[in-house]
Amino acid sequence: MDELLTVTYPHRIRWTVGVLDPSNPTLAELMEGQEDEPGRVLVFVDQGVLDGWPGLGDQVQGYFRALGGRLRLAGAVWPMPGGEVCKNDWKVVERVCRSIHDAGLCRRSSVVAIGGGAVLDAVGFAAALCHRGVRLVRLPTTTLSQADSGVGVKNGVNAFGVKNFLGTFSPPWAVIHDERFLASLSDPDWISGFSEVVKVGLVKDRTLFEQVARRVEAIRKRDMSVAGPVLRRSAELHVRHIVDGGDPFETAHARPLDFGHWAAHKLEQVSGFRLRHGEAVAMGIALDVTYCMEVGLLAPEVGERIKGCLSGLGLRLFDEAMGEHERLLEGLDEFAHHLGRPLCVTLLRGIGQPVEVYTIDRDRMRAAIDRLSQAAAVV
């Protein structure tokens, strides 16, 4: 007997300023308790955010005290190692699960994750495992997580040398963007997230790409009147792809939002995760754009303009990790395996004109790597 099971998920996205100010109701309104007791909450915070925002832990506790018992912290504010460290160490996931267990959280309780994409991934994965799903509220704190990963429906950690080998599709209970968190970012962390904005523009919205390309200097200088709207537009496009794209859990072969990512994921691994995800994505985009030029899919002047936009933002297009041609090209096989074969890579005919291809000429891809290497040597 075959039956069709349809499940509807709400996808709540909010934009605010000062989410942890006691007068701001956004976070409290998104969580609820049992009828006879206040909602129980555990909060996990990226250590990098704690370092850049002295007193944040006290502010979190003060926020919940100010709610007058409407919601209750079920334990201390937990610091989390930031970056890929937390995704490469299974003990981090175990610690989050143990904390949820010891705090007595149930499926109507909430886990709040405050941090960059890696912390949101690791905490989200643990929350999805406990009781088959404790409510997760994400507060993304980086340009990358606010523009892209923080609004997705995926969680995951790295295992067996493979990026995101262990993970779940588990839509968050809510995502709250607060631009105040971005103020504590280092310059490299600020810039690296805009590679994902460029990516979304290239495959979804030419107007977004043009906005970024025209104002790279203002973005680099952290002008929020420019950066804020493009980050929000990137997130909106990501959400629309999930909600309207017809494949939220990626059962099909094509994954347009992974443009540039087959190489990016491998570059992170080859570099020993020295490269930030956003930095690797910029290089992956540059490589695929150069390959598109190499095979005649993309006009040279268009390809150079795309790479010029990335460079103008302050993103590098080549790293020594790319010089290991054969190891990098293994990323194509790993990408295909992760998807479920056959290989399907999103490339470009033009800005805002994605195309799906099922074969990659590896000799041409090696030539594209060499072209990027030569260009980097000239600079």
Side-chain angles (χ1 to χ4, degrees):
M1 181 175 69
D2 295 331
E3 298 288 347
L4 180 63
L5 176 65
T6 301
V7 181
T8 301
Y9 293 91
H11 201 22
R12 306 173 182 89
I13 314 293
R14 302 289 187 271
W15 281 267
T16 190
V17 178
V19 66
L20 294 175
D21 291 346
S23 60
N24 190 327
T26 306
L27 179 58
E29 288 177 349
L30 287 166
M31 296 186 286
E32 62 184 38
Q34 308 280 4
E35 292 181 0
D36 57 345
E37 63 180 78
R40 297 169 63 79
V41 184
L42 271 186
V43 179
F44 298 85
V45 186
D46 191 320
Q47 184 64 58
V49 179
L50 290 171
D51 292 342
W53 193 327
L56 178 60
D58 292 337
Q59 187 173 356
V60 170
Q61 295 186 46
Y63 177 86
F64 285 95
R65 281 197 302 269
L67 293 176
R70 182 177 169 190
L71 294 168
R72 183 165 67 85
L73 279 178
V77 174
W78 287 88
M80 295 285 294
E84 291 295 313
V85 171
C86 70
K87 293 186 62 166
N88 286 328
D89 185 353
W90 177 251
K91 291 181 180 178
V92 172
V93 176
E94 286 185 324
R95 182 164 67 91
V96 176
C97 290
R98 170 60 68 178
S99 302
I100 291 171
H101 171 271
D102 291 349
L105 266 59
C106 67
R107 297 185 69 184
R108 291 183 63 117
S109 304
S110 299
V111 168
V112 176
I114 305 175
V119 167
L120 301 184
D121 261 357
V123 175
F125 182 46
L129 295 177
C130 296
H131 299 301
R132 300 188 180 97
V134 174
R135 293 174 179 177
L136 172 71
V137 179
R138 294 177 182 157
L139 273 62
T141 62
T142 62
T143 52
L144 192 149
S145 57
Q146 290 198 6
D148 187 82
S149 59
V151 299
V153 297
K154 295 184 286 189
N155 305 289
V157 296
N158 309 328
F160 314 116
V162 180
K163 178 91 170 180
N164 295 323
F165 183 80
L166 300 175
T168 62
F169 287 97
S170 182
W173 184 255
V175 182
I176 305 174
H177 294 82
D178 183 348
E179 67 180 45
R180 284 189 185 174
F181 284 117
L182 304 180
S184 64
L185 293 177
S186 67
D187 287 341
D189 285 323
W190 167 268
I191 287 299
S192 66
F194 286 93
S195 63
E196 295 281 10
V197 180
V198 171
K199 174 208 71 178
V200 174
L202 289 174
V203 299
K204 289 285 183 181
D205 186 358
R206 182 184 183 114
T207 299
L208 174 60
F209 173 81
E210 296 294 347
Q211 287 176 322
V212 175
R214 286 196 304 267
R215 303 299 304 277
V216 290
E217 185 174 355
I219 291 171
R220 200 170 60 245
K221 292 181 177 179
R222 302 184 181 227
D223 182 343
M224 283 304 297
S225 69
V226 178
V230 299
L231 289 170
R232 180 164 180 164
R233 178 59 178 162
S234 176
E236 289 171 343
L237 287 166
H238 195 125
V239 172
R240 291 268 60 84
H241 176 80
I242 294 168
V243 174
D244 299 333
D247 188 30
F249 298 156
E250 297 179 356
T251 57
H253 294 306
R255 288 185 2 197
L257 292 183
D258 274 348
F259 173 58
H261 279 56
W262 74 264
H265 287 166
K266 192 64 181 180
L267 278 171
E268 290 178 83
Q269 180 187 340
V270 172
S271 72
F273 296 96
R274 167 178 51 82
L275 291 173
R276 294 171 174 81
H277 178 68
E279 293 170 333
V281 168
M283 295 172 194
I285 291 172
L287 178 57
D288 279 351
V289 164
T290 304
Y291 175 81
C292 290
M293 296 162 62
E294 188 76 23
V295 298
L297 192 60
L298 190 65
E301 62 273 16
V302 177
E304 293 303 331
R305 185 156 185 265
I306 293 169
K307 291 190 284 185
C309 174
L310 293 168
S311 296
L313 287 167
L315 291 160
R316 294 187 299 125
L317 307 186
F318 185 83
D319 183 84
E320 61 184 13
M322 299 178 77
E324 299 186 48
H325 291 48
E326 302 314 309
R327 283 197 69 192
L328 181 57
L329 290 175
E330 289 173 3
L332 287 167
D333 299 320
E334 292 172 6
F335 193 69
H337 180 71
H338 185 64
L339 285 171
R341 296 179 185 276
L343 174 69
C344 180
V345 175
T346 298
L347 296 177
L348 295 177
R349 294 186 190 276
I351 297 170
Q353 296 179 284
V355 58
E356 297 168 12
V357 301
Y358 294 87
T359 58
I360 294 291
D361 185 324
R362 299 195 179 211
D363 287 335
R364 293 288 188 90
M365 189 62 79
R366 292 184 185 94
I369 296 170
D370 290 338
R371 283 182 61 177
L372 283 178
S373 175
Q374 292 161 8
V378 170
V379 174

